[in-house]
Amino acid sequence: MPTEEELFAAVDTLLAGEPALPGPAERSRLREAAGVTQARLAQVLQTTTQTVKNWEAGRSEPRPPRRQAYQRLLEGWAQQFPVDAAPADAASTATASAAPAPGDTAPAPTAPAPTAETPSAHPAPDAPPRSRTPHAEKAPRPRKAHRPAPRPTPPPADQRFENGPLAVIDVEDGHVLAYCVGGLVLDVPAKSLPALIDWTLTEARLGQPRLHRNGRDGDPLLVLTPAALERYGLPTALSDEERRAGRLPDGHKAVRQLTRADWKLTRRGLGPWARIYRPAEGAKRHCVQLCIPAWNALDTREWDDRNAPRLPSMHPADLARYLGAYAQRVMTPRGTAAVTGLELMTALHPPTRAEKDPVTGAFTRALNEDALTAVHDVVECEVPDEHPLLKGRFARHHLRTPAEMLMEEPYDWCRPLTDDECMRQYLVAIDVNMSFAAAANGLTVGLNGPTHLTGDPPFDPSLPGSWLVDLSHVDLSRVRVDGRPVDGGRLPSPFTPKGERPTGPAWYATPTVAYAVELGFEVAPVEAYVRTRTGRYLDAWYKRLRDAYVTTMADLGVTTGLGGAEFLDAMARSRQSDPVMALLVGAIKATAKGGIGKLRQRNRGQVPYHEPWPALERETWRPDIRAAVLANQRIGLHRKLMKTAAAADLYPVAVGTDAVVYPSPGPTPLDVLPRTPEGKPVPGTFRLGVSPGMVKHQGTRTVLWAEEQFEEQGGVFNIANHIKTDPAAGEGE
C-alpha cells in the first residue's frame, strides 16, 4: 500500500500539471537564435527532421520521453536568448540590411515563395516537404523592394477536411507519418489497421467536400507505402493467386482484425483499392479508402511514365503532392483513372436528391432530370458482341457488319504518299489536346431509354441515338469548303474508322448523320433508336477536366496565352520542369479517355461469354453515349482536315485517333500549318495551343523513314502511331 506522503506527492504533481511548452513560433525563434538546424535538433532528440518541423509549426506535440528533453532544452535556450532582446537585434539587422553602402545599389527583390497557385519545382526525393506554416520571424525586405499585389482571399476551407483529401502513410525511423497535401505531415499513433481507420475518421480531418450539392462528400483516401504495409501486417506484394483474385483471402490476419473491430469490406475485398466502412448514420458516412501502389493500384499505363516509371522510387511527400493535386483538381481517386473518370460524371450529376414532401414534411428520394437515373433497355446494334442480348442471335465467330453493329470508333487511317509529297523532306505529326473530352463538350446525349422508330423516319439532329442509313453516295470531291473544292481521294471518309467510303446501309450515331447533312447531302434513314429526354450531360465533366489540364500545364510553364513558336518552346521545356506535374498531366488525360471508355465497359473475363457482367448493372453503362462522343471526335477532326485542305491544298497522309500527319518542308508544325497574311491560324483549321481541341507537336520523321517502314511492313502500317519525338506525347488521349 502507498504511504500517505507518496499519495500526497502524486496529487501535488497532478495539481501542478505538466510544464507547458513554449508556443510553436517561440520554439522556432529559440532554435534559430542558438544557431541550431532542425536536422541537428532531430539528431540530438533521435527523431526525424519533419517531426521537428511539425513541432515548430504547431501541427503536433512531442510525446514522452522526448517531451521532457525538448522542454529542458528550450528552457536553457530561453535563459540564453530572452525574448526582449530579439526585437532590438532584429531591428538593427533590418537597418543594416536596408541601408546600402556608398556606391552600392539596393538589392534586387527576391521572388515570392511558391504558393498553392504557383507550385514549386520538384524537390529532391530525400528533401523534407515544405511546411504550410511559415516561421514567425521573417527576414525583413529591403525598403525599395517591389511588393506584389495582394492575392484575393480564398474562400474558407471546410474545417472537416482541413488536412486535405488524402494522406500517404509511411514509416520513418520507427515513426508512422501521414504525408498530406501542402507539405503537411501528421504523426500517426495507430498501432493496427483498425486503429488506423479509426484515427483517419476521428482525428486526421481528411476528405473532400462534395462536387455537387446533391452529391456526397469524398471519403478520405490512405495511400500505403511498402513500409506502412509491413507495419500494419499486410504483404508488400500479392501472391499469384491473390493477384488473380484481386484481393487478400478472407482468412488473412488483417481481414480478420477488421472484422473483429466491426469494419466491413465491399465486394472487392481487401485489394489494391479497398473500401473499409461501417453503415452510415443518417447523412454521416464512416468509410475510408485504401490505395496500395505495391499491389499495382496505380497502373503504369495511367498514373506513371511507362518508359521510365517514377512511382516505385517516389518519396511519400512527392506522392502526396501528386495524388493530392489530382484529387483537388479532378476528384479523390476511386480506383483506376478510368473508374475515376466515370465516377466524376456521377459526382457532378448525382442521380437522386432529397425532396421535402409538402404534406408530411418528410424528406423523400427524388430523381434528378439532368442525370442518368436508371438502367434502361439496350439496343442490339449498340452492344458489343459478348452481350447477353446477342446470345443465339448469330452463328459462332460471326463478325457483325456495319448494318448490324454501330461502329463509331476513332480514326485509324493511312495512305501512300504522292510523288509531290515525297519531294518534301519531313512528316510532321500534330496531336489534338484532350480530344475525347473536347468532343464531349456541348454534345447533346440521351438520358432515358431508347425509342424505336421504323418506316423510314425523317432524320432529326436534335435526337441522340443510332440511325440505319446509307451514306455511300457522299462524295467529298463534290463538296466545296469556303467556295473551294477539295481532293476527296486524299482525305479519309468521315463515316468509317478506317477512312474507307461506305458501301451500303450502316448504323451511325446522330453526329455522323448530321455531318452528312452539313456537307449538303440528302439522308434517308430506314430505322432508328433515339432518346427523347436529352441534355448536355458531359459539359460539367469536360469543364472540370479542362480546368485541371490547363492549370497543370500552366504549372509546367505552358499557358493559354502562348502561341506559335512560344508555345512550342514552352512545351519542349515543360518535359523537364517538374516530373511530378508531368505525371499529373498524363493522369488527367487518362481520366478523360478512360471515363468515356467505361461507358461501354466490356466483359473482361469475369463471366462466361453472353452472360451478364457486373458493369451492366450501372446506370452509366451507356454505349450510345460513348458512340456519340467518338463520332463527334472523328467528325470534328474531319471538319478541320477539310478546312485545312481547302485553305492550303494540304492533305494528311495518316490519322491515328487524335494524331494527324502532314508532309512538310520543315521539321515543325509552323512549317506546314496554314496561316493568314497577318500570321494568324486560318479560321477552322488546326491551331497550336494548350487548350483542349487545340494541337501540339507530337513528333517529326523524314519521308525516307516512312518509305522504309512501308516496305518493311508490307503497306499495313499507320505512321501516325509511330511518329513521336517525345515518347510520352499522345499518350492518354
Side-chain angles (χ1 to χ4, degrees):
M1 293 290 293
T3 65
E4 182 178 346
E5 290 76 8
E6 290 174 340
L7 290 174
F8 280 8
V11 170
D12 290 341
T13 301
L14 185 61
L15 289 172
E18 193 175 51
L21 289 170
E26 178 65 5
R27 302 171 198 175
S28 176
R29 184 193 73 80
L30 291 173
R31 179 186 54 76
E32 291 175 348
V36 177
T37 65
Q38 291 174 327
R40 174 58 179 156
L41 179 56
Q43 183 181 13
V44 170
L45 297 179
Q46 299 183 25
T47 186
T48 64
T49 304
Q50 187 58 49
T51 299
V52 174
K53 280 179 172 287
N54 292 340
W55 293 347
E56 293 186 357
R59 291 191 291 265
S60 65
E61 292 293 320
R63 295 192 293 266
R66 291 185 180 85
R67 182 183 177 90
Q68 291 85 344
Y70 190 38
Q71 174 84 37
R72 182 176 182 181
L73 178 63
L74 292 175
E75 289 174 351
W77 280 344
Q79 294 177 2
Q80 297 179 35
F81 311 104
V83 177
D84 55 356
D89 294 342
S92 62
T93 303
T95 303
S97 63
D104 291 345
T105 58
T110 56
T115 65
E117 290 80 6
T118 56
S120 63
H122 171 67
D126 56 351
R130 67 180 188 271
S131 173
R132 265 199 326 196
T133 307
H135 296 312
E137 299 291 330
K138 295 183 179 179
R141 288 179 177 268
R143 292 178 181 175
K144 296 184 180 181
H146 170 70
R147 294 182 182 273
R151 294 182 181 272
T153 303
D158 191 327
Q159 294 302 307
R160 297 173 301 159
F161 312 127
E162 63 178 342
N163 293 332
L166 56 83
V168 178
I169 308 299
D170 192 35
V171 180
E172 296 181 14
D173 298 331
H175 300 276
V176 182
L177 303 176
Y179 289 85
C180 307
V181 297
L184 173 67
V185 182
L186 304 174
D187 289 315
V188 181
K191 304 296 184 183
S192 65
L193 186 57
L196 177 64
I197 305 303
D198 279 321
W199 172 82
T200 303
L201 292 174
T202 58
E203 299 181 39
R205 293 184 176 271
L206 296 174
Q208 187 174 41
R210 65 195 66 187
L211 298 180
H212 188 281
R213 61 189 181 90
N214 293 325
R216 60 179 176 84
D217 297 328
D219 297 321
L221 173 66
L222 299 181
V223 184
L224 304 184
T225 66
L229 293 176
E230 291 184 359
R231 168 60 65 93
Y232 292 113
L234 297 168
T236 56
L238 296 178
S239 66
D240 291 341
E241 183 178 352
E242 292 166 347
R243 190 165 53 251
R244 284 191 297 269
R247 58 192 289 174
L248 293 180
D250 293 340
H252 191 276
K253 178 181 178 182
V255 179
R256 296 201 310 269
Q257 281 182 336
L258 292 170
T259 302
R260 286 196 299 269
D262 294 328
W263 289 107
K264 300 179 182 296
L265 290 162
T266 59
R267 286 188 297 177
R268 59 184 173 184
L270 188 50
W273 291 94
R275 283 191 175 276
I276 303 172
Y277 71 97
R278 285 180 180 142
E281 298 175 0
K284 186 177 181 181
R285 291 171 56 84
H286 304 281
C287 182
V288 174
Q289 184 174 226
L290 302 184
C291 168
I292 306 179
W295 298 358
N296 198 36
L298 302 174
D299 193 292
T300 305
R301 294 167 296 180
E302 297 181 327
W303 300 96
D304 206 350
D305 182 349
R306 70 180 72 182
N307 300 295
R310 299 184 182 123
L311 288 180
S313 59
M314 185 176 285
H315 190 275
D318 286 338
L319 186 57
R321 177 180 172 231
Y322 170 31
L323 296 179
Y326 179 92
Q328 292 172 327
R329 296 176 185 182
V330 181
M331 70 179 300
T332 303
R334 296 188 181 178
T336 64
V339 167
T340 306
L342 191 69
E343 292 283 342
L344 180 61
M345 297 179 194
T346 304
L348 294 170
H349 282 287
T352 62
R353 70 181 188 279
E355 185 175 75
K356 189 174 183 179
D357 190 312
V359 178
T360 64
F363 283 94
T364 58
R365 191 178 183 186
L367 299 178
N368 288 318
E369 289 296 317
D370 63 344
L372 302 177
T373 57
V375 178
H376 298 288
D377 293 337
V378 295
V379 176
E380 181 179 298
C381 68
E382 295 174 349
V383 300
D385 293 337
E386 67 271 23
H387 195 278
L389 185 64
L390 301 181
K391 188 174 184 178
R393 178 69 177 81
F394 299 101
R396 188 173 179 83
H397 306 304
H398 171 76
L399 296 178
R400 288 192 287 168
T401 66
E404 298 168 333
M405 180 181 182
L406 181 65
M407 295 184 179
E408 296 286 13
E409 300 293 338
Y411 268 128
D412 184 10
W413 170 83
C414 188
R415 66 169 175 83
L417 279 70
T418 65
D419 292 341
D420 289 341
E421 291 168 343
C422 287
M423 298 301 293
R424 301 185 184 184
Q425 185 176 357
Y426 298 100
L427 294 175
V428 174
I430 55 176
D431 175 74
V432 181
N433 301 323
M434 299 276 287
S435 64
F436 294 126
N441 183 37
L443 180 65
T444 299
V445 301
L447 301 178
N448 61 347
T451 298
H452 191 194
L453 305 180
T454 58
D456 302 334
F459 174 66
D460 186 347
S462 68
L463 293 178
S466 303
W467 304 79
L468 181 61
V469 60
D470 189 350
L471 299 180
S472 60
H473 61 289
V474 177
D475 183 0
L476 297 180
S477 298
R478 294 163 48 193
V479 178
R480 300 183 71 85
V481 181
D482 298 332
R484 302 185 186 95
V486 296
D487 183 355
R490 288 195 286 168
L491 286 170
S493 167
F495 308 124
T496 62
K498 292 294 184 181
E500 302 166 347
R501 189 167 171 174
T503 58
W507 286 100
Y508 300 103
T510 298
T512 304
V513 185
Y515 186 57
V517 176
E518 178 185 325
L519 294 175
F521 294 90
E522 295 289 336
V523 297
V526 177
E527 64 175 313
Y529 290 91
V530 298
R531 278 77 182 176
T532 55
R533 184 165 65 88
T534 65
R536 292 169 56 162
Y537 176 73
L538 296 172
D539 275 13
W541 180 83
Y542 159 76
K543 291 174 183 176
R544 180 82 176 176
L545 291 172
R546 175 204 61 193
D547 292 347
Y549 178 77
V550 171
T551 300
T552 306
M553 290 301 297
D555 292 341
L556 297 174
V558 186
T559 61
T560 54
L562 302 177
E566 288 182 325
F567 169 73
L568 295 177
D569 291 342
M571 286 295 296
R573 292 192 302 269
S574 70
R575 297 165 190 163
Q576 289 80 35
S577 63
D578 190 334
V580 174
M581 289 296 105
L583 289 184
L584 181 56
V585 170
I588 293 170
K589 293 194 293 185
T591 303
K593 181 179 180 180
I596 297 299
K598 278 285 184 179
L599 291 169
R600 195 196 67 166
Q601 180 177 334
R602 304 188 66 170
N603 180 5
R604 296 172 297 180
Q606 307 105 307
V607 298
Y609 208 71
H610 285 155
E611 294 296 326
W613 60 95
L616 301 184
E617 301 173 3
R618 296 195 316 250
E619 296 91 343
T620 51
W621 195 84
R622 290 294 300 269
D624 58 300
I625 296 180
R626 172 190 177 272
V629 173
L630 268 58
N632 208 37
Q633 185 267 350
R634 194 183 66 251
I635 293 305
L637 196 61
H638 192 273
R639 190 179 286 113
K640 291 187 177 182
L641 296 177
M642 293 277 283
K643 284 280 189 178
T644 304
D649 194 31
L650 183 64
Y651 293 85
V653 297
V655 183
T657 307
D658 50 12
V660 181
V661 180
Y662 281 113
S664 170
T668 77
L670 295 175
D671 298 312
V672 63
L673 295 181
R675 307 181 77 82
T676 65
E678 295 76 24
K680 297 181 179 180
V682 175
T685 64
F686 296 104
R687 180 180 178 183
L688 289 170
V690 71
S691 297
M694 300 173 76
V695 300
K696 60 182 178 292
H697 184 205
Q698 178 167 286
T700 298
R701 291 282 193 170
T702 63
V703 170
L704 180 60
W705 168 86
E707 293 297 333
E708 291 174 349
Q709 296 297 320
F710 282 134
E711 291 180 7
E712 292 178 7
Q713 303 293 333
V716 185
F717 182 73
N718 189 344
I719 57 178
N721 299 327
H722 298 272
I723 302 181
K724 293 182 181 179
T725 303
D726 176 13
E731 290 186 0
E733 281 229 345

